Amino acid sequence: MTIASSTQFLCFAALSAAVAIGALGVVLLPNIVYSAFLLGGVFLSVAGLYLLLNASFVAAAQVLVYVGAVNVLILFAIMLVNKKEAMAEIPGLALRRVLSGAVCAGLFVLLLRVAFITPWATPGPEPIGDEATIRIGEHLFSDYLLPFELASVLLLMAMIGAIVLARRDVLSADIVTGEPADQGLIEKSRTPLLLETPAPASPAMPTPVLEKR
Amino acid sequence: MSLELPTTVPLQAYLALAAILFCTGVWGLINSRNAVRVLMSIELMLNAVNINLMAFSSYLDGQLIRGQVFAIFVITVAAAEAAVGLAILLSLYRNRETVDMERFNLLRW
């Protein structure tokens, strides 16, 4: 065993241990802020695995998109919705956890069996090094051109959809009466619309009357 | 015959790692009470799929690396999914003032 291959084994062992332990921490830790930071660690370790697989471009994309965008977005979401709330106890929660753990363990055994029984016709990893980026560019602009353009449309749709979903009501005039309406941009306490706790006054939201056409 | 050690990391090791990651993600997806953690579990599952794609791309398709192109598309879709999912979560939180998955039962029978 040469030094290069043993280094590769050591890197793989360290990175996969980081991925597995980090993923367990993401799922199991009670504090969700720690979970979010561990998720960033998992993303970085996966990027390291991509480097081991001779894919420098995808590793860079992983770091930029996942660690730089998705993880920061998740941290911002945690910051916006971080309210200490006591989760109500649910009967049979432990049983549910055990059952779903058993199902996941079964799925894991199934996947392992498939991975180890199938005779992969493996020629082994072929290092193409920096050629990979060139090859990806050729793919994206020749035979994967249509999915590439569709991805741009998808990103545009996701951006507009996220803005529409997450903004507050910014209508400056009431649609029906035309009177100037409250823009609702300032955070203020208001009754949540759909809580099941009985509101002290009138019901929070009147049932909408469907127009007959 | 000699039992010789492999000189490179075998493909099965990557597949097993991806299986661990995917099953952890599924367990978290089912059992999380916090809606943000559900989104994080989905990201874990997408990363597991990406590891599989990259391993197959390097080991079975070493010259035409189509798996890497697929991984890039998966990353794109995951970014869009995270943005829209967190926007939905924010508007849900604004209406119900909770992130408890058990209390999002609007569409339940």
Side-chain angles (χ1 to χ4, degrees):
Chain A
M1 183 179 272
T2 61
I3 291 178
S5 66
S6 55
T7 311
Q8 200 182 3
F9 272 106
L10 274 182
C11 288
F12 179 78
L15 286 173
S16 50
V19 166
I21 295 172
L24 282 179
V26 167
V27 171
L28 293 178
L29 277 186
N31 191 342
I32 196 163
V33 182
Y34 295 161
S35 292
F37 281 109
L38 270 182
L39 187 69
V42 170
F43 289 157
L44 279 177
S45 310
V46 172
L49 283 177
Y50 293 168
L51 282 182
L52 271 185
L53 286 167
N54 302 309
S56 49
F57 179 76
V58 186
Q62 166 94 5
V63 172
L64 284 178
V65 174
Y66 270 118
V67 184
V70 172
N71 204 18
V72 172
L73 201 62
I74 285 176
L75 277 173
F76 266 90
I78 289 171
M79 189 179 74
L80 287 176
V81 301
N82 197 3
K83 189 181 68 172
K84 284 275 179 282
E85 58 178 299
M87 304 260 182
E89 287 296 321
I90 301 174
L93 188 63
L95 178 67
R96 197 202 295 183
R97 292 202 165 166
V98 170
L99 276 182
S100 56
V103 169
C104 289
L107 179 65
F108 177 61
V109 171
L110 181 71
L111 286 175
L112 274 192
R113 182 181 155 84
V114 169
F116 282 98
I117 280 187
T118 311
W120 306 109
T122 170
E126 300 177 47
I128 61 171
D130 289 339
E131 284 280 304
T133 311
I134 301 171
R135 211 57 62 78
I136 288 172
E138 287 171 1
H139 277 305
L140 282 184
F141 285 103
S142 59
D143 46 351
Y144 289 99
L145 184 62
L146 181 63
F148 181 67
E149 300 291 340
L150 282 181
S152 67
V153 177
L154 174 78
L155 283 177
L156 181 67
M157 284 163 53
M159 186 176 74
I160 296 174
I163 292 172
V164 168
L165 281 172
R167 72 168 184 180
R168 296 175 179 277
D169 304 323
V170 289
L171 290 178
S172 58
D174 196 297
I175 298 176
V176 181
T177 61
E179 294 170 351
D182 179 24
Q183 298 217 345
L185 288 169
I186 301 166
E187 191 81 39
K188 54 180 173 292
S189 68
R190 56 175 187 170
T191 55
L193 293 179
L194 300 168
L195 280 184
E196 279 172 357
T197 52
S202 59
M205 191 174 67
T207 49
V209 180
L210 293 178
E211 290 183 9
K212 296 232 173 86
R213 307 195 173 204
Chain B
M1 102 153 238
S2 65
L3 186 70
E4 59 181 87
L5 287 170
T7 55
T8 57
V9 180
L11 175 63
Q12 283 88 354
Y14 284 100
L15 299 185
L17 177 65
I20 291 174
L21 198 53
F22 189 83
C23 292
T24 314
V26 170
W27 194 88
L29 183 70
I30 295 173
N31 281 307
S32 295
R33 299 285 301 273
N34 195 327
V36 182
R37 204 188 292 265
V38 171
L39 287 171
M40 294 204 269
S41 304
I42 295 176
E43 299 296 332
L44 285 184
M45 290 161 67
L46 286 167
N47 263 287
V49 173
N50 263 349
I51 290 177
N52 264 0
L53 281 175
M54 301 289 291
F56 281 128
S57 154
S58 176
Y59 279 78
L60 304 181
D61 192 20
Q63 287 308 310
L64 301 167
I65 38 172
R66 284 166 290 200
Q68 297 196 13
V69 185
F70 270 90
I72 288 174
F73 286 130
V74 172
I75 289 175
T76 311
V77 174
E81 176 262 342
V84 174
L86 290 172
I88 289 174
L89 176 67
L90 277 187
S91 87
L92 205 54
Y93 179 75
R94 206 172 292 147
N95 281 329
R96 308 210 57 162
E97 303 217 333
T98 179
V99 287
D100 189 357
M101 289 300 283
E102 299 294 328
R103 292 174 68 193
F104 297 150
N105 49 9
L106 211 62
L107 288 182
R108 224 161 157 186
W109 59 85

